[in-house]
Amino acid sequence: MGIEGESQARIGIDAAFIQSLEHRPNSKYCDFTNDQIPLIDLSPLNSTTPPHPSTLDSLVAQIHAACRDWGFFQLINHGVSPHLLHTIQSEAANFFSLPLQEKTKVRRDLDNKMGYYDTELTKNVRDWKEVFDFSRRGAICVPASFQHESDENPTMINQWPHNPPGLREACEKYAEAVEKLAFRLLELIAQSLGLPADYFNSKFEEQTSVVRLNHYSPCPVPELALGVGRHKDPGALTVLAQDHVGGLQVKRKDGEWIGVKPIPDSFVINVGDCMQVWSNDKYKSAEHRVVVNDKKERFSVPLFLNPSHYVMVGPVPDLVNEKNPPRYREYCWGEFVKSRRHSNFKNLGTENLQIHHFNIS
């Protein structure tokens, strides 16, 4: 009997969820070790008076070390109201508890990627999750073709359900606050690279950023499936709120998976592929995944800070020289992410587009 017949007969779940042997978590819950991603306190920036230059230098140095050594860090005293965090998690729980027929009234598809979805794939394996996506700005306009000029510019528009009635307001208020935090972090990261604080801001004038509500229900075989398979985020920066359950794991440089222990009212921050390319590999986009368990549901809310669709992503000129030449060819962000999205909907049988395809050998 093949794996499909075996899995469905023995454990009663679709074989599409089963990870290959080398990528199975082989655990029924997320372990937390003493080795954790860096913790950064942003309180110096939330004071009514500007921070002392030495305090700011220390904060920038911490961010530099975290982005260089891990590509991840946890953030506390960030200035986002705990009320906003608790409200959006509560409204997300209300939405995902609705009957499937209610949730699919705002189902996303190939034409409009905003809304509800429950059959997403990562690395051609189905994730054990359901999601609801929305754009921070209400709509995202992306050209139908990046090869030829066209008057057709399809727009992905937010789809808001009637129920729960408080979901839209909670999402919009949360997204506004977290976007401000994301740009504050973007400026600190720019400074940590020796660039002007506002260096990257112009790349986000028509940003394609997305906020996602994630729901991971209990899984009968958490040792065989993943909430989200191993991956790297393609954008610039991700700001993630997670609940108390835990499940996010980050791949350390030695290949070990490290469970990120939840800290109440904190955010988990990671740099994405765009930042890796802009920094010319000074900062690395770290591989991560989500493990599930067989007893507790879990919720998380990431904001994916993504540039404008027309932005050409390549090493920052000020960060390359004769001794440190460019390691990547430029690519168009919109074209790059558009090609990757197709693999979210069906198994293409091959690896989707990655930044290593633009390596200069």
Side-chain angles (χ1 to χ4, degrees), residues 121-141:
L121 305 174
T122 301
K123 305 288 187 187
N124 295 315
V125 181
R126 187 173 169 184
D127 296 329
W128 188 269
K129 70 180 181 188
E130 54 182 340
V131 307
F132 177 83
D133 289 345
F134 65 97
S135 163
R136 156 71 182 101
R137 300 302 173 93
I140 296 176
C141 184

Side-chain angles (χ1 to χ4, degrees), residues 14 63 86 107 123 131 139 156 158 168 187 202 223 226-227 248 254 259 269 301 307-308 311 316 324:
D14 193 322
I63 287 177
H86 302 161
R107 187 175 179 83
K123 305 288 187 187
V131 307
M156 295 180 284
N158 287 344
R168 179 173 183 171
E187 292 181 350
S202 63
E223 69 274 21
L226 287 167
L248 174 65
D254 63 3
I269 313 298
V301 186
S308 309
V311 165
V316 173
N324 182 34

Side-chain angles (χ1 to χ4, degrees), residues 158-304:
N158 287 344
Q159 301 187 79
W160 296 109
H162 294 299
N163 290 307
L167 180 67
R168 179 173 183 171
E169 182 181 5
C171 287
E172 289 178 340
K173 287 184 176 179
Y174 174 85
E176 180 181 8
V178 176
E179 182 192 63
K180 289 179 182 177
L181 173 62
F183 276 104
R184 178 178 283 187
L185 291 169
L186 193 67
E187 292 181 350
L188 290 169
I189 290 172
Q191 291 175 281
S192 76
L193 289 167
L195 301 169
D198 63 354
Y199 181 87
F200 294 112
N201 291 5
S202 63
K203 301 181 185 299
F204 296 84
E205 290 175 352
E206 296 180 42
Q207 60 172 290
T208 55
S209 304
V210 171
V211 181
R212 165 168 287 187
L213 309 181
N214 284 317
H215 176 228
Y216 306 95
S217 60
C219 177
V221 284
E223 69 274 21
L224 301 182
L226 287 167
V228 184
R230 72 201 192 283
H231 68 287
K232 300 179 180 181
D233 292 347
L237 188 68
T238 301
V239 181
L240 173 80
Q242 61 169 341
D243 67 12
H244 66 283
V245 176
L248 174 65
Q249 292 185 331
V250 177
K251 195 172 189 179
R252 205 167 52 192
K253 287 184 176 181
D254 63 3
E256 188 76 17
W257 288 103
I258 303 299
V260 177
K261 190 173 183 178
I263 298 174
D265 301 329
S266 69
F267 287 107
V268 179
I269 313 298
N270 65 283
V271 298
D273 289 344
C274 286
M275 190 58 68
Q276 177 170 332
V277 174
W278 284 330
S279 72
N280 204 39
D281 281 350
K282 199 167 190 176
Y283 296 160
K284 293 291 182 75
S285 174
E287 196 167 47
H288 52 288
R289 68 184 186 182
V290 175
V291 298
V292 288
N293 68 84
D294 59 359
K295 291 182 172 60
K296 295 181 180 180
E297 63 181 345
R298 176 176 178 264
F299 298 93
S300 68
V301 186
L303 177 145
F304 302 104

